[in-house]
């Protein structure tokens, strides 16, 4: 039995409406504009206000404020009814357009407005017109219709309060709330519950005389996220351990507390301390892996995080380093997220490069010392490159003209980077050269150098690492962000329409096409792969009409031709095919 919609007069509500059978009702800009017009037209009639909104192709989310239940219900009812009439007339169809009743989630304004806003606005692309209210909230110029929707029916008191709350919205957008979204917002809105702090929750429950909090009771629903964190972390550790041990890594038992009982904020020092006695000289190296809990962030606020990583300490080769990245790729594939991940790489020069670059930066910032805080001056002395990322706003123009690392990188370092890229291609790992990628440890004697890498999923970092040196010991390592990987793994396992590809081969043996199909199935767990061997040749256009899959990979061994066709975009691709597929599957 569906829980009744909850309404609390002084709280805004997150509204979710979804199309019947996931019909694409907002994929065209004209449809989104029409819905926005209807939203604007009915605001004054029912005296409701909109804080923000977003449209995916088949769903709409918006944050609505109303002082009484009848007004909000009538507003949504008229909005959906009017849009159904418009849509059915436009596409000459009949029948229902919506998947049952809408969902709503009242939430505490001060505590959760920014988080809920970022939740709905991160769901969609910001490049398309009328997709969300994102540009409005970061202070960019947007269409008058959107401004009209977001500013209507706000009293001066409520408008000033809203502007005050949204003041730090840009900062909130940079924070990753994916775990919070999956475990709180989605179940709460699907069960029409109140999202609030414990203190306010009790107050509202006393006023309403009933329980308002979320209870995971009853038959499980397919769309509700189920995630046993501890159990999944133990499983993740076991799986990673099996992979690492198979590749010759030994388990490291690290001590993250010093003699005074204080927690170390970084595991790297502990790793080096654990293995330095095992290194006989620079001709030997040690391969080890670790799993640890991390309890403290940069603001000394206690949090709980889990990481699983590996290090090659001592003298290692580029082959070892690329093999380690390939190992991370296998682990990401094992948990079904490799199709949603993009590997970025860069070269930031050797230790000699870093030393010269730091000296140059110190000289460059010397005339501006009076504008720097004590903390900034300490950064300038130890790791001046951090000032290029975190600097006072008054120095924004100065930072833009600062010397760049690329001007100091040696030919030897460039040569190593070319070899690094060559081997990644040999391992069939798609990657992007990202000159803006710079990994920096916040400890004076630990810094990355030479080759660095980072696996991204959207803005989330799932795994990162590279070369570094500490106490004159060279190493290469990285860490898998356990919770983010598990969160993404569970998210993509929820019902989702799978993309499909047909490998079309013109040959008598079809060996390469069979190998390609095997590679695609191993690499992309969410991709349906079909093999279509052809003996009798026809024009390519005829195959395009016959095959209904999204992608068609043409293989002609006789004429040595290989290319991919995307039926949705109606485009051919001859280079970086794996990278293109990864990008499309992750969208």
């Amino acid at each position: 039995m569906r829980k009744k919609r909850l309404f609390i007069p002084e709280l805004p509500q997150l509204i979710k409406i979804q199309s019947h059978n996931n019909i694409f009702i907002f994929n065209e800009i004209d449809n989104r504009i029409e819905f926005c017009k209807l939203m604007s037209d009915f605001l004054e009639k029912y005296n409701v206000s909109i804080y923000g909104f977003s449209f995916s192709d088949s769903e709409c989310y918006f944050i609505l404020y109303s002082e009484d239940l009848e007004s909000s219900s009538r507003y949504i009812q008229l909005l959906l009814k009017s849009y159904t009439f418009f849509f059915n007339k436009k596409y000459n169809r009949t029948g229902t357009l919506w998947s049952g009743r809408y969902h709503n989630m009242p939430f505490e304004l001060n505590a959760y407005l920014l988080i809920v806003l970022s939740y709905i606005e991160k769901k969609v692309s910001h490049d398309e017109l009328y997709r969300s209210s994102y540009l409005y909230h970061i202070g960019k110029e947007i269409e008058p219709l959107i401004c009209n929707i977001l500013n209507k029916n706000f009293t001066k008191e409520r408008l000033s309060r809203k502007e005050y709350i949204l003041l730090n919205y840009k900062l909130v957008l940079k924070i990753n709330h994916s775990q919070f979204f999956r475990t709180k917002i989605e179940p709460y809105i699907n069960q029409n519950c109140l999202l609030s702090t414990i203190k306010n929750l009790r107050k509202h429950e006393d006023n309403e005389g009933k329980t308002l909090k979320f209870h995971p009771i009853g038959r499980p629903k397919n769309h509700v996220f189920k995630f046993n964190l501890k159990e999944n972390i133990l499983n993740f550790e076991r799986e990673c351990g099996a992979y690492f041990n198979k590749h010759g890594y030994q388990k490291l038992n690290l001590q993250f507390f010093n003699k005074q009982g204080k927690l170390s904020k970084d595991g790297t020092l502990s790793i080096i301390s654990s293995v330095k006695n095992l290194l006989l000289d620079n001709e030997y190296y040690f391969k080890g892996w670790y799993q640890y809990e991390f309890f403290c962030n940069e603001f000394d606020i206690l949090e709980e995080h889990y990481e699983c990583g590996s290090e090659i300490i001592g003298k290692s080769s580029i082959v070892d380093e690329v093999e380690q990245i390939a190992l991370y790729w296998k682990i990401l594939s094992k948990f079904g997220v490799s199709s949603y991940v993009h590997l970025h790489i860069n070269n930031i020069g050797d230790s000699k490069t870093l030393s010269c670059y730091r000296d140059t930066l110190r000289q460059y910032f010397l005339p501006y010392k009076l504008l720097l805080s004590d903390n900034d001056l300490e950064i300038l002395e130890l790791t001046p490159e951090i000032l290029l990322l975190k600097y006072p706003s008054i120095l924004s123009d100065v930072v833009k003209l600062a010397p760049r690392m690329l001007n100091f990188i040696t030919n030897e370092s460039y040569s190593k980077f070319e070899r690094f890229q060559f081997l990644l291609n040999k391992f069939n790992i798609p990657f992007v050269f990202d000159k803006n990628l710079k990994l920096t440890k916040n400890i004076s004697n630990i810094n990355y150098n030479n080759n660095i890498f980072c696996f991204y999923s959207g803005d989330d970092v799932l795994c990162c690492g590279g070369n570094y040196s500490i106490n004159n010991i060279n190493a290469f390592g990285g860490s898998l962000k356990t919770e983010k990987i598990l969160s993404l793994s569970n998210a993509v396992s929820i019902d989702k329409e799978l993309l499909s590809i047909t490998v079309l081969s013109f040959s008598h043996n079809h060996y390469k096409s069979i190998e390609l199909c095997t590679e695609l199935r191993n690499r992309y767990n969410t991709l349906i792969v079909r093999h279509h061997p052809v003996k009798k040749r026809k024009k390519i256009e005829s195959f395009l009409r016959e095959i209904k899959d999204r992608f068609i990979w043409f293989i002609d061994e006789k004429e040595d031709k290989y290319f991919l066709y995307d039926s949705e975009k109606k485009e051919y691709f001859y280079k970086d095919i794996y990278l293109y597929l990864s990008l499309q599957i992750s969208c």
Side-chain angles (χ1 to χ4, degrees), residues 12 47 58 60 77 89 132 142 204 260 291 328 342 350 375 572:
N47 193 29
S58 59
C60 174
Q77 184 181 19
K89 184 177 179 181
S132 75
I142 58 168
H204 292 305
Q260 289 76 36
Q291 172 93 9
Y328 292 141
H342 313 133
D350 51 23
N375 185 47
Y572 292 89

Side-chain angles (χ1 to χ4, degrees), residues 46-169:
Y46 293 104
N47 193 29
V48 298
S49 304
I50 302 291
Y51 282 91
F53 65 88
S54 72
F55 297 104
S56 67
D57 287 341
S58 59
E59 289 180 337
C60 174
Y61 289 82
F62 56 91
I63 299 172
L64 177 144
Y65 176 81
S66 175
E67 294 181 354
D68 63 273
L69 174 61
E70 187 176 355
S71 293
S72 62
S73 297
R74 291 284 181 87
Y75 173 79
I76 298 172
Q77 184 181 19
L78 183 58
L79 179 65
L80 301 188
K81 186 177 179 180
S82 301
Y83 186 75
T84 302
F85 178 78
F86 158 80
F87 190 87
N88 285 350
K89 184 177 179 181
K90 179 179 178 180
Y91 294 99
N92 194 25
R93 68 182 294 276
T94 58
T96 184
L97 190 60
W98 309 105
S99 176
R101 304 167 72 194
Y102 66 87
H103 295 272
N104 80 316
M105 179 190 75
F107 61 90
E108 188 183 340
L109 187 65
N110 293 333
Y112 292 114
L113 174 61
L114 296 181
I115 292 176
V116 173
L117 260 179
S118 64
Y119 167 69
I120 66 175
E121 292 183 352
K122 275 186 174 183
K123 276 181 163 291
V124 297
S125 168
H126 303 138
D127 298 328
E128 293 183 70
L129 292 175
Y130 290 94
R131 273 291 182 190
S132 75
S133 51
Y134 168 79
L135 294 177
Y136 172 87
H137 290 133
I138 63 170
K140 296 289 181 68
E141 290 186 9
I142 58 168
E143 294 74 14
L145 176 58
I146 294 178
C147 289
N148 197 33
I149 293 171
L150 299 174
N151 289 330
K152 252 186 186 177
N153 293 3
F154 274 101
T155 63
K156 280 188 178 181
E157 182 184 351
R158 283 200 286 126
L159 191 60
S160 61
R161 187 182 182 191
K162 187 181 81 162
E163 288 174 351
Y164 174 76
I165 292 170
L166 295 175
L167 192 61
N168 294 318
Y169 187 51

Side-chain angles (χ1 to χ4, degrees), residues 183-214:
T183 56
K184 283 221 173 182
I185 293 183
E186 294 195 1
Y188 276 55
I189 190 171
N190 285 324
Q191 295 196 19
N192 303 327
C193 293
L194 170 65
L195 179 63
S196 179
T197 57
I198 298 296
K199 180 181 177 182
N200 278 275
L201 181 65
R202 287 172 180 164
K203 182 189 83 172
H204 292 305
E205 286 186 336
D206 289 341
N207 292 341
E208 298 290 323
K210 57 184 176 182
T211 301
L212 305 177
K213 61 186 178 182
F214 171 75

Side-chain angles (χ1 to χ4, degrees), residues 306-323:
Y306 296 83
E307 289 190 3
C308 184
S310 59
E311 310 290 333
I312 303 174
I313 300 171
K315 187 175 181 180
S316 63
S317 68
I318 294 180
V319 175
D320 290 318
E321 295 166 4
V322 174
E323 186 183 49

Side-chain angles (χ1 to χ4, degrees), residues 472-579:
N472 297 320
I473 297 176
N474 295 320
F476 181 90
S479 61
L480 295 151
K481 314 301 180 185
T482 306
E483 292 156 298
K484 290 184 179 180
I485 294 169
L486 291 175
S487 179
L488 180 60
S489 177
N490 279 270
V492 300
S493 66
I494 295 173
D495 297 339
K496 182 177 180 179
E497 186 178 350
L498 299 179
L499 295 178
S500 55
I501 184 172
T502 291
V503 177
L504 190 67
S505 59
F506 303 94
S507 172
H508 292 291
N509 297 320
H510 306 291
Y511 291 138
K512 287 189 178 180
S513 57
I514 292 172
E515 290 177 357
L516 176 60
C517 288
T518 304
E519 171 67 20
L520 289 170
R521 292 185 184 108
N522 291 336
R523 183 177 292 207
Y524 306 110
N525 294 338
T526 59
L527 185 66
I528 299 172
V529 181
R530 298 183 178 92
H531 184 208
H532 189 76
V534 178
K535 291 184 178 179
K536 188 177 180 181
R537 291 175 176 267
K538 293 187 277 186
K539 288 184 177 180
I540 289 177
E541 289 75 15
S542 63
F543 288 112
L544 297 183
R545 289 193 298 269
E546 293 171 9
I547 297 173
K548 303 302 180 185
D549 289 336
R550 162 79 184 271
F551 306 108
I552 307 175
W553 196 325
F554 293 86
I555 298 181
D556 192 337
E557 294 181 29
K558 185 177 180 181
E559 297 185 13
D560 196 29
K561 289 182 179 179
Y562 308 91
F563 58 89
L564 181 78
Y565 178 74
D566 187 337
S567 61
E568 185 176 289
K569 297 188 176 180
K570 299 186 176 3
E571 293 178 349
Y572 292 89
F573 297 89
Y574 297 88
K575 294 181 179 180
D576 300 325
I577 295 177
Y578 282 115
L579 179 58

